[in-house]
Amino acid sequence: MKRVIQHPTPSTTGRTYWRSLGEYARTPDFEEWLHREFPAGAAEWENDPLSRRSFLRLMGASLALAGLGLSGCRRPEAHLVPFTQSPEWVISGKNISFATAQPRRRGAVPLLATTFNGRPTKMEGNPLHPASLGASDNHAQASVLDLYDPARRRFLTRSGKKAEPAELEAEVARIRGEAGANGGASLAILADETLSPTRERLRTDLLRQFPQATWAVYEPLAPGRDLEAAAAAFGSGTEARPDLSAAKAILSVDCDFLGSDEGDLSDTRGFAAGRRIRKPGDKSNRLYVAEPRFSLTGSMADHRLRLRASAAGALLLELARQIRSLRPNSELATVLAKAPDLPLPAGVDPAWIRECAADLVAQGNRSLVLVGRRQTVAVQALGYAINAALGNIGTTLLVQPRLSAPAASLPSLTEKIRSSSIRTLVILGGDPVYNAPADLGWLDLLGAVPSTIHVSPFFNATSAKTTWFVPGTHYLESWGDALAADGSYLSIQPTIQPLWAGESQLEFLTRLLGQPKPVGPALIRETFAARTKLGADKQEQAWNDFVREGFLAGGAATSSRPLNSGAVAALLPNLSSSNAAEANSLEAVFTHSGAVDDGRYANNGWLQEWPDPMSKLTWDNAILLSAKTASSLGLKNEITKGILVADVVRATIGSRSVEAPVLVSPGHVDFAVSLPVGYGQDLLGPVAKGAGFDAYRLRTTDSEYIAEGLRLERTGHTMQLAVTQEHQAMEGRDLVREAALGEFNEDPGWAKKVGMDGHIPPNQTFYPSPKLTGEHQWAMVVDLSTCTGCNACVTACTAENNIPVVGKDQVMKGREMHWIRVDRYYTGEPDEPEAVSQPVACMQCENAPCETVCPVNATVHNEEGLNVMA
């Protein structure tokens, strides 16, 4: 599919590119927007829409990061070890980097924190860690802004009023006395999923003191079904992770492993390594994707199939049968013996599955089948069985010891609270009042517990309902440790004293244990000593190396475990599939947000204004659906003066309803909709307030991911959405240059020969340019074969330069301030398009295209010919 195309001229094959449905249809409003040098309203400020109050609300954290409004920021006095050796004194304006890590569910991200004058300002990947090698992602780049968020609560509260530390000490003493009297039966801990060996050690100590206490873990986007399936397929205490660098043919079923929800940095790097073509004859991996919504992973697919999430089991069953016919396997035959007969959904071409199966079998143990983590346990287990039949266990699918310890579930904890057996509930992080399944009723449940304590860096919906709120620390403010996805041990090193005298989860657990407050990294050093088992003479140097480099070499041991085909077969009768294709009974899929994740970043202005990589929607979420589904329901999107106006619907599942706008999404499967979660949080802070709708209100314990029977009813209202997809259209300029691998093999220099009208137009500049054979040369190349279009570079640029956030109203007028962007182009029909990304960088080269059109002559050249943009 690789060929050079420029807009609006079609290629010799008839392929054209378009960025939005308005451009595809060439609507009059799009033409007007396109041909105006300045979009409507961009040249004037009507009624001062960006007031001083609005500016401070949006830019509060950025102003604090820049040094305004904060006094006394400094590094901790002792214990830190810089990533590189530096003088004992601090040189003003000289940056120092410290190795640290950002805690995440399913594995922390190894990072470097750059500090200026004791203030952390920029996050990058740790270049020494194999999972990062210097790379980071969108959320890691933006996480530094959360440190300076003015919405962080600065004091301890009891029943909504400011309290003194002595009061909390008295309450903890009471809790310990009560728990000691009944073995801890009255005490429960609800924690977020943080893979911290030190927290796990403290948990063990706590349960040793209070053996009847309940420790539960809840993450709304990580239900652990893949862990249950791995335990059935490979034995208890195991989990599986992919090695995409070894895979030559990949099938992804409802698994956005290139997005920020399903995968991690190593997955993206491994996949990109298989796409990197350096010279003729190099081989490329192939990617098959079956999914309901057009995801980042789908945009990189060689072959993509629109598929409802509920039909994943039916597709995998047919795939397994095709693989068994091509490569007989007794274990797979045992698994399929108990499988139900699920028909393929209407519209799914069996030939697509046959060709995919043939390619997977041809690649043998260099193939890989990935299944989305929120699919059912039976679907996950079937995916593992297919991988085993292909010989992938130990090559492209690695089985390792489970990184997270088993814990009680949220529903089981809920039942204990309802039985009145829990007298004290401590919540470590998270926000279950906001994101727990609606049928559990956590909004009212906390009132049934006499004493509730929430330890969190941010005051949220749960904080407002608990008796006590204890301000938590940001990961850059406190000592900690974590495991990466590969099992390697990471240090979390603070780079600044707690801004608001916060208390970490580890420090609060020592309170419950009756231990004195730890000094510096004392708790982490105990864990480190237990893991390394070194003598006293080597311990100090090993610790310094660990903190300086940020990790302990070596990860979890992997093994090639045999498949327990009987256990997998026992799960397959639970497979089910929905074949409903009726507009009045839709399938709802609850998805993560690439911007705010599960909602934890909703008060981060950088991420709210960050365009979603596929839809380019900012400052809101919307119900995503296909054009056919929208048409059947009488729903539409219209572009008015460059602003997308969406119909608002009432979405109902059972007795629960929310009102939300709809966004027609190219490539979405018909008769199903996607509902991104994480928005609609008015209590989290001023940036989050009013942004989007709360999709969690429709989730229940039986439908945490897929819900049948969704009804959409028009309300008669409309809503304006800030979508940047049609902004800054590059009419008349080359968009993207693509060629098939065969074309590249025949002519490696094809890209230099294809441009406007078949040639590259000469550069026109007012400045003398240095000879291209001169001593100083400046160049940058973005390999579109490996660029996923994730937009992490946009956030990195925003963080590097503290670029202002302008808010939804200004984005709708085309005033977003991003210095670089990644355009998303589609090609083909809107129902089943292909997609490509086109990075548009801030060009500082000697031939920058902005030079000849700059009205103020800002494009000054230095002595090396570099555009330094005065």
Side-chain angles (χ1 to χ4, degrees):
M1 60 160 281
K2 308 295 187 182
R3 188 170 299 281
V4 177
I5 303 294
Q6 64 272 346
H7 174 79
T9 307
S11 70
T12 55
T13 61
R15 184 184 293 276
T16 58
Y17 286 87
W18 45 276
R19 293 210 293 182
S20 68
L21 295 174
E23 181 176 5
Y24 179 84
R26 308 299 295 185
T27 61
D29 192 88
F30 172 80
E31 295 288 347
E32 179 185 359
W33 174 270
L34 176 66
H35 293 294
R36 291 191 62 164
E37 180 177 3
F38 297 102
E44 61 272 348
W45 295 78
E46 299 176 1
N47 300 321
D48 189 23
L50 192 62
S51 65
R52 180 176 181 274
R53 176 174 296 182
S54 297
F55 177 78
L56 293 176
R57 175 178 68 85
L58 296 173
M59 288 292 295
S62 290
L63 292 173
L65 187 153
L68 303 179
L70 286 178
S71 60
C73 290
R74 54 196 172 92
R75 296 205 315 269
E77 291 87 348
H79 310 297
L80 299 190
V81 181
F83 181 75
T84 57
Q85 298 299 324
S86 64
E88 295 180 0
W89 58 90
V90 175
I91 300 176
S92 181
K94 181 179 177 61
N95 68 295
I96 302 177
S97 295
F98 293 88
T100 187
Q102 184 189 18
R104 300 272 186 89
R105 59 181 181 269
R106 298 303 181 87
V109 179
L111 298 173
L112 290 186
T114 298
T115 67
F116 282 90
N117 299 333
R119 182 190 303 275
T121 60
K122 187 67 168 64
M123 310 306 299
E124 296 293 351
N126 188 333
L128 298 182
H129 196 284
S132 170
L133 297 180
S136 62
D137 62 13
N138 186 43
H139 293 138
Q141 289 287 339
S143 63
V144 70
L145 191 66
D146 290 333
L147 171 66
Y148 301 102
D149 192 344
R152 292 178 60 187
R153 187 63 64 90
R154 308 183 183 188
F155 48 82
L156 175 73
T157 63
R158 180 181 186 180
S159 300
K161 298 179 180 180
K162 188 174 181 180
E164 296 300 325
E167 298 178 64
L168 181 61
E169 291 177 10
E171 175 64 11
V172 171
R174 185 201 64 78
I175 293 171
R176 284 183 49 78
E178 182 181 69
N182 56 34
S186 60
L187 174 63
I189 312 290
L190 176 61
D192 55 7
E193 188 177 42
T194 299
L195 302 183
S196 167
T198 296
R199 195 181 78 168
E200 182 58 29
R201 179 169 62 83
L202 296 179
R203 168 197 174 183
T204 302
D205 293 343
L206 189 70
L207 295 180
R208 188 179 295 115
Q209 276 195 27
F210 310 117
Q212 300 302 314
T214 300
W215 183 287
V217 172
Y218 174 65
E219 283 287 347
L221 296 184
R225 299 190 182 102
D226 60 318
L227 299 177
E228 293 182 47
F234 307 116
S236 61
T238 63
E239 64 177 83
R241 62 180 176 89
D243 180 5
L244 283 115
S245 65
K248 300 302 181 183
I250 306 160
L251 169 63
S252 172
V253 180
D254 195 18
C255 176
D256 187 16
F257 68 86
L258 295 177
S260 58
D261 178 44
E262 295 283 359
D264 57 23
L265 293 171
S266 60
D267 290 340
T268 302
R269 172 174 285 103
F271 173 78
R275 288 278 161 134
R276 192 165 286 116
I277 304 298
R278 297 301 192 196
K279 61 185 185 301
D282 286 352
K283 302 296 184 181
S284 173
N285 60 25
R286 283 180 299 282
L287 175 62
Y288 299 79
V289 174
E291 61 182 4
R293 64 184 177 95
F294 215 157
S295 69
L296 275 179
T297 304
S299 71
M300 297 296 289
D302 299 290
H303 306 280
R304 181 177 180 270
L305 176 69
R306 294 191 300 162
L307 184 78
R308 286 194 301 277
S310 62
L315 180 139
L316 287 173
L317 275 178
E318 178 61 24
L319 179 76
R321 294 183 178 114
Q322 293 292 336
I323 290 174
R324 184 186 60 179
S325 66
L326 295 171
R327 182 177 178 173
N329 179 278
S330 59
E331 291 179 334
L332 193 57
T334 300
V335 169
L336 292 175
K338 294 187 177 181
D341 185 17
L342 298 181
L344 287 175
V348 174
D349 186 0
W352 192 96
I353 303 175
R354 286 198 301 271
E355 293 300 320
C356 177
D359 199 355
L360 293 172
V361 170
Q363 296 299 329
N365 66 356
R366 295 297 176 180
S367 61
L368 179 63
V369 176
L370 296 173
V371 179
R373 286 176 176 166
R374 291 195 295 279
Q375 282 285 343
T376 65
V377 175
V379 174
Q380 303 274 351
L382 180 55
Y384 291 144
I386 294 173
N387 277 299
L390 292 168
N392 296 333
I393 309 304
T395 54
T396 61
L397 191 68
L398 308 178
V399 180
Q400 67 184 27
R402 176 170 169 168
L403 301 182
S404 59
S409 66
L410 187 67
S412 65
L413 173 61
T414 302
E415 288 304 312
K416 286 191 174 183
I417 294 175
R418 287 174 177 166
S419 68
S420 300
S421 61
I422 302 300
R423 306 288 297 172
T424 299
L425 174 63
V426 177
I427 303 174
L428 302 177
D431 190 3
V433 168
Y434 165 66
N435 54 37
D439 57 323
L440 296 182
W442 269 73
L443 180 64
D444 301 316
L445 190 68
L446 292 185
V449 183
S451 178
T452 52
I453 302 173
H454 190 206
V455 182
S456 172
F458 297 97
F459 189 90
N460 51 36
T462 298
S463 310
K465 290 294 182 179
T466 54
T467 313
W468 295 86
F469 172 72
V470 179
T473 55
H474 190 274
Y475 74 92
L476 292 173
E477 296 177 315
S478 57
W479 284 97
D481 59 0
L483 299 178
D486 64 356
S488 58
Y489 186 43
L490 308 178
S491 69
I492 299 177
Q493 184 178 194
T495 58
I496 193 171
Q497 291 276 27
L499 297 179
W500 317 126
E503 187 165 338
S504 70
Q505 292 186 14
L506 302 182
E507 290 171 334
F508 191 82
L509 286 174
T510 61
R511 278 182 182 266
L512 290 180
L513 285 165
Q515 299 175 1
K517 184 176 180 178
V519 178
L523 286 174
I524 315 305
R525 294 202 65 161
E526 291 176 17
T527 308
F528 178 81
R531 294 178 72 93
T532 55
K533 296 181 174 62
L534 296 174
D537 56 330
K538 297 181 180 179
Q539 186 67 232
E540 189 67 24
Q541 184 59 49
W543 167 258
N544 287 338
D545 292 343
F546 171 61
V547 177
R548 181 178 59 253
E549 298 177 4
F551 65 100
L552 194 64
T558 60
S559 60
S560 179
R561 294 217 177 187
L563 179 79
N564 186 340
S565 55
V568 174
L571 293 171
L572 290 202
N574 297 324
L575 284 176
S576 62
S577 178
S578 169
N579 238 342
E582 303 173 3
N584 60 356
S585 180
L586 304 173
E587 176 178 295
V589 177
F590 299 97
T591 68
H592 82 295
S593 163
V596 303
D597 193 53
D598 58 4
R600 66 187 65 190
Y601 303 106
N603 206 55
N604 189 305
W606 291 349
L607 292 174
Q608 283 283 6
E609 198 146 298
W610 177 79
D612 180 88
M614 298 303 298
S615 69
K616 299 300 179 182
L617 178 63
T618 70
W619 287 101
D620 278 304
N621 58 341
I623 297 176
L624 306 180
L625 72 176
S626 70
K628 181 177 180 180
T629 306
S631 177
S632 68
L633 295 172
L635 303 173
K636 59 185 178 180
N637 292 161
E638 292 182 340
I639 304 293
T640 303
K641 294 184 178 180
I643 298 175
L644 192 146
V645 180
D647 281 340
V648 175
V649 299
R650 182 175 297 103
T652 304
I653 299 177
S655 61
R656 298 177 174 85
S657 298
V658 296
E659 291 191 1
V662 297
L663 184 62
V664 178
S665 177
H668 202 288
V669 69
D670 296 329
F671 306 113
V673 304
S674 297
L675 292 90
V677 299
Y679 291 81
Q681 299 190 70
D682 289 347
L683 293 179
L684 190 60
V687 174
K689 187 174 183 178
F693 71 97
D694 180 9
Y696 282 120
R697 289 164 52 189
L698 298 177
R699 294 172 82 226
T700 64
T701 50
D702 294 330
S703 58
E704 286 186 285
Y705 177 53
I706 304 170
E708 299 289 347
L710 171 71
R711 302 187 304 277
L712 299 182
E713 304 170 82
R714 294 182 61 186
T715 63
H717 305 298
T718 60
M719 179 177 174
Q720 293 181 336
L721 297 178
V723 178
T724 66
Q725 186 77 349
E726 290 187 349
H727 294 185
Q728 302 164 323
M730 296 169 62
E731 185 180 30
R733 295 179 174 89
D734 286 352
L735 299 183
V736 63
R737 301 181 183 187
E738 296 186 300
L741 187 58
E743 294 178 68
F744 170 76
N745 289 333
E746 292 178 4
D747 183 9
W750 65 273
K752 298 179 181 179
K753 302 175 183 178
V754 185
M756 200 72 63
D757 299 325
H759 71 280
I760 299 175
N763 179 66
Q764 297 179 1
T765 178
F766 296 119
Y767 299 93
S769 296
K771 294 181 179 180
L772 298 183
T773 57
E775 178 181 359
H776 299 291
Q777 296 291 300
W778 299 92
M780 181 178 70
V781 175
V782 178
D783 185 351
L784 296 186
S785 297
T786 61
C787 173
T788 64
C790 69
N791 277 31
C793 58
V794 177
T795 305
C797 177
T798 300
E800 181 78 29
N801 301 284
N802 203 7
I803 295 174
V805 175
V806 299
K808 177 180 177 180
D809 292 340
Q810 304 307 312
V811 172
M812 288 192 295
K813 295 179 179 179
R815 290 176 177 154
E816 62 269 19
M817 298 284 286
H818 295 136
W819 293 5
I820 64 176
R821 70 181 193 272
V822 181
D823 288 341
R824 174 65 63 191
Y825 290 96
Y826 296 97
T827 180
E829 297 300 317
D831 285 343
E832 297 195 47
E834 297 174 0
V836 294
S837 60
Q838 174 63 63
V840 182
C842 172
M843 301 181 194
Q844 289 188 272
C845 64
E846 61 267 23
N847 293 328
C850 56
E851 292 186 350
T852 55
V853 297
C854 183
V856 295
N857 196 30
T859 55
V860 178
H861 283 206
N862 66 10
E863 63 275 9
E864 297 178 359
L866 187 67
N867 182 335
V868 293
M869 293 299 295

